[in-house]
């Protein structure tokens, strides 16, 4: 904790706080510290228990994802209100857990939109990598009905799923683009030069074009 405190940079903290993350540790330095510590599950659990955002990010880098029970991961997600902690927990830990599918189903139906967004993130992973058994048309039905009025983080996760369905599954591409065009979610999102817009129709068409160019 002392080492993390020494790494705290007021400028980094000011930037991070604009994104809802209450820590000031440069992520490159945090990853370097994690590389030095290597995997230490007990230390990871202790760091998580501090409630400190930088400590929790470090915990997620040095933990053993498969060591957590389903209930432990569920509790951790509900505690993870800082966006970066939430994202790293889902992407670095839950996706590697044997409980990922069970949690995907439970979280997707959760009334808490932040928890539900984690369920959608796991669904997007399956759309891309293991779509067998998923009702893609049913997912598009839910997105079409709910995405427009969903809270920000949930809306973002549903939009990512919409784009992924359109990119990966040609038989659903026209409908996915049509839903994006009708709902206009993130249509005016400020996109830096060189980056792809998160507006689903643009995102889908751009990624499909790049893949076609490579072939």
């Amino acid at each position: 904790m002392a080492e993390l405190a020494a790494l705290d940079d007021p400028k980094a903290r000011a930037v991070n706080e604009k994104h809802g993350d209450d820590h000031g540790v440069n992520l490159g330095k945090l990853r370097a510290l994690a590389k030095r510590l290597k995997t230490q599950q007990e230390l990871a659990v202790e760091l998580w228990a501090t409630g400190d955002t930088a400590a929790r990010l470090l915990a997620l880098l040095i933990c053993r994802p498969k060591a957590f029970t389903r209930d432990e991961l569920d509790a951790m997600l509900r505690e993870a209100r800082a966006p970066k902690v939430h994202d790293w927990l889902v992407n670095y830990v839950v996706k590697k857990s044997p409980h990922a599918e069970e949690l995907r189903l439970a979280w997707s139906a959760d009334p808490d939109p932040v928890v539900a967004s984690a369920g959608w993130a796991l669904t997007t992973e399956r759309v891309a990598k293991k779509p067998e058994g998923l009702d893609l048309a049913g997912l598009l039905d839910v997105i079409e009905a709910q995405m427009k009025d969903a809270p920000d983080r949930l809306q973002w996760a549903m939009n990512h799923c919409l784009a992924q369905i359109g990119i990966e599954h040609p038989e659903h591409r026209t409908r996915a683009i049509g839903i994006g065009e009708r709902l206009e979610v993130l249509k005016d999102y400020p996109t830096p030069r060189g980056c792809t817009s998160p507006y689903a129709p643009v995102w889908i068409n751009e990624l499909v074009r790049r893949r076609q160019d490579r072939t």
Side-chain angles (χ1 to χ4, degrees):
M1 293 304 293
E3 192 161 352
L4 286 171
L7 290 173
D8 195 275
D9 177 356
K11 289 182 181 177
R13 181 174 287 276
V15 171
N16 290 333
E17 284 178 348
K18 289 180 182 177
H19 303 289
D21 290 309
D22 56 340
H23 76 94
V25 179
N26 175 281
L27 296 180
K29 292 179 179 178
L30 192 74
R31 291 182 188 279
L33 176 56
K35 191 174 181 180
R36 196 181 81 226
L37 290 170
K38 298 188 171 64
T39 302
Q40 295 191 48
Q41 178 66 12
E42 288 185 14
L43 176 58
V45 170
E46 290 179 18
L47 287 168
W48 183 272
T50 66
D52 178 80
T53 295
R56 286 187 162 180
L57 290 172
L58 181 59
L60 296 171
L61 293 174
I62 66 170
C63 72
R64 278 198 309 277
K66 293 179 181 177
F68 294 107
T69 67
R70 177 215 179 278
D71 289 348
E72 284 171 337
L73 291 172
D74 183 69
M76 289 166 73
L77 186 87
R78 293 174 192 281
E79 292 173 7
R81 303 320 271 190
K84 185 67 71 176
V85 175
H86 177 100
D87 290 345
W88 281 20
L89 175 60
V90 173
N91 287 298
Y92 296 170
V93 181
V94 179
K95 285 182 180 179
K96 299 175 184 176
S97 164
H99 309 292
E101 180 61 13
E102 185 183 351
L103 289 169
R104 181 186 77 82
L105 294 170
W107 289 345
S108 295
D110 199 277
D112 182 332
V114 176
V115 174
S117 73
W120 279 93
L122 294 172
T123 298
T124 301
E125 174 89 348
R126 273 205 59 190
V127 166
K129 296 183 178 178
K130 291 191 237 174
E132 299 79 16
L134 281 181
D135 178 7
L136 297 176
L139 289 172
L140 290 175
D141 289 342
V142 175
I143 292 168
E144 190 167 23
Q146 299 179 13
M147 183 172 74
K148 181 78 171 178
D149 298 317
D152 286 352
R153 203 179 308 183
L154 177 56
Q155 184 184 72
W156 188 275
M158 294 176 91
N159 183 71
H160 189 180
C161 190
L162 172 66
Q164 204 72 52
I165 292 172
I167 292 163
E168 302 289 346
H169 302 279
E171 69 275 21
H172 295 287
R173 186 169 296 151
T174 299
R175 186 182 175 202
I177 291 171
I179 290 170
E181 288 173 345
R182 282 193 299 280
L183 300 185
E184 298 189 335
V185 167
L186 300 174
K187 184 176 182 179
D188 300 319
Y189 190 84
T191 305
R193 184 185 296 273
C195 295
T196 302
S197 169
Y199 175 50
V202 173
W203 191 354
I204 293 167
N205 285 321
E206 175 63 17
L207 269 289
V208 171
R209 182 191 64 77
R210 287 184 200 174
R211 291 184 181 183
Q212 290 171 341
D213 287 349
R214 286 201 296 269
T215 57

